[in-house]
């Protein structure tokens, strides 16, 4: 009878410990690339906070810095690197600080795999747009190429919306401390710049409708957990 009673007490204790709500505070950094028109690795980093609602569900938020680095190149006859008779090249670089509310679901017995979705507003921290347009026209003296490059940095959006999803793996490294590895997918529904968008009266047949990249980022970090 005593062994059975002891086993019952241990089982209840284990379940109670497993079902504790906990708080997670993490610090992360990494880099990503755009799925289209990518120019360079874009760095990111920030702070993550999550509060357990129950055994599997957490709510919280991220505050993070995110760069964007894009090169849009559209030319006649599918040429590249300004070798076409006409075309447009838009080079964009910017950085934003985002505040993103976040909800996550924990998978696995030890809750080490967290799947999440988030969405939030980003404020611009600087950047530049460099717009190059050219065309080749016929004149009485032969063909003449008109080629201009303009700084359009004033057109960068001051505020943008970002929607993200991904998963984070937590790896135990000590009492209450975890190493984190995250794969994040971030999408910009709007545009990072007004340059060459539909409202731009100077747009040409080679202009993009908008720059709204999807970024795939890899982040690593460290997190502290506190059980309630």
């Amino acid at each position: 009878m005593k062994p059975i009673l002891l086993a019952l007490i241990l089982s209840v204790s284990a379940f109670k410990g497993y079902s504790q709500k906990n708080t997670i505070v993490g610090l992360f950094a990494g880099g990503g690339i755009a799925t289209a028109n990518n120019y360079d690795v874009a760095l990111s980093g920030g702070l993550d906070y999550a509060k357990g609602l129950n055994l599997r569900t957490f709510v919280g938020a991220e505050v993070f810095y995110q760069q964007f680095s894009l090169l849009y190149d559209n030319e006649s006859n599918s040429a590249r690197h300004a070798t076409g008779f006409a075309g447009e090249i838009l080079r964009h670089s910017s950085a934003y600080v985002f505040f993103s509310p976040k909800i996550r679901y924990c998978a696995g017995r030890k809750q080490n795999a967290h799947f999440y979705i988030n969405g939030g507003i980003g404020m611009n921290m600087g950047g530049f747009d460099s717009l190059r347009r050219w065309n080749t026209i016929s004149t009485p003296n032969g063909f003449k190429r008109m080629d201009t490059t303009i700084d359009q940095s004033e057109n960068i959006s001051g505020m943008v919306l970002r929607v993200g999803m991904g998963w984070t793996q937590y790896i135990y490294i000590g009492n209450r401390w975890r190493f984190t590895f995250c794969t994040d997918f971030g999408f910009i529904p709007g545009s990072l710049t007004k340059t060459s968008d539909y409202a731009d009266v100077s747009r040409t047949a080679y202009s993009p409708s908008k720059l709204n990249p999807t970024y795939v980022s890899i982040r690593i970090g460290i997190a502290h957990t506190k059980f309630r």
Side-chain angles (χ1 to χ4, degrees):
M1 182 65 182
K2 289 183 179 179
I4 297 176
L5 182 60
L6 179 60
L8 181 60
I9 293 173
L10 290 175
S11 297
V12 171
S13 298
F15 179 79
K16 182 179 179 181
Y18 172 56
S19 63
Q20 289 181 108
K21 300 174 184 178
N22 75 55
T23 300
I24 303 173
V25 179
L27 193 65
F28 62 85
I33 59 174
T35 56
N37 303 315
N38 187 72
Y39 178 72
D40 200 359
V41 174
L43 301 180
S44 66
L47 182 67
D48 181 27
Y49 172 83
K51 179 69 175 180
L53 295 180
N54 53 45
L55 183 61
R56 298 291 183 184
T57 308
F58 285 71
V59 294
E62 287 182 343
V63 178
F64 64 97
Y65 172 88
Q66 174 69 63
Q67 293 180 342
F68 297 95
S69 182
L70 302 164
L71 180 67
Y72 172 87
D73 186 349
N74 188 17
E75 305 175 26
S76 59
N77 301 319
S78 301
R80 286 291 182 270
H81 310 300
T83 58
F85 287 100
E88 181 170 321
I89 294 177
L90 172 60
R91 181 178 174 184
H92 174 91
S93 177
S94 63
Y96 289 80
V97 171
F98 287 91
F99 173 75
S100 297
K102 182 176 183 179
I103 184 169
R104 63 173 85 186
Y105 175 81
C106 306
R109 183 180 179 279
K110 296 183 178 181
Q111 305 177 5
N112 287 329
H114 290 211
F115 298 86
Y116 65 84
I117 57 174
N118 60 25
I121 298 295
M123 304 300 295
N124 180 250
M125 302 301 291
F128 69 89
D129 269 350
S130 175
L131 176 63
R132 181 179 180 184
R133 285 177 177 157
W134 68 94
N135 197 5
T136 305
I137 60 176
S138 178
T139 71
N141 297 321
F143 289 101
K144 182 177 180 180
R145 177 162 166 150
M146 311 296 292
D147 196 331
T148 60
T149 300
I150 307 171
D151 184 347
Q152 298 282 64
S153 299
E154 63 183 15
N155 289 336
I156 294 176
S157 299
M159 185 171 63
V160 295
L161 173 67
R162 180 186 183 274
V163 179
M165 63 181 297
W167 64 88
T168 303
Q169 184 70 33
Y170 288 83
I171 301 171
Y172 179 84
I173 57 175
N175 185 29
R176 296 184 178 180
W177 290 97
R178 305 290 187 273
F179 173 81
T180 61
F181 180 87
C182 175
T183 303
D184 179 84
F185 299 86
F187 174 65
I188 305 296
S191 182
L192 293 171
T193 178
K194 299 179 181 67
T195 301
S196 291
D197 67 7
Y198 286 125
D200 188 345
V201 295
S202 68
R203 63 179 281 108
T204 71
Y206 301 100
S207 299
S209 58
K210 59 182 179 178
L211 288 184
N212 60 330
T214 297
Y215 263 80
V216 180
S217 300
I218 301 297
R219 301 167 172 174
I220 59 174
I222 190 168
H224 181 267
T225 62
K226 182 178 180 180
F227 292 95
R228 193 178 75 177

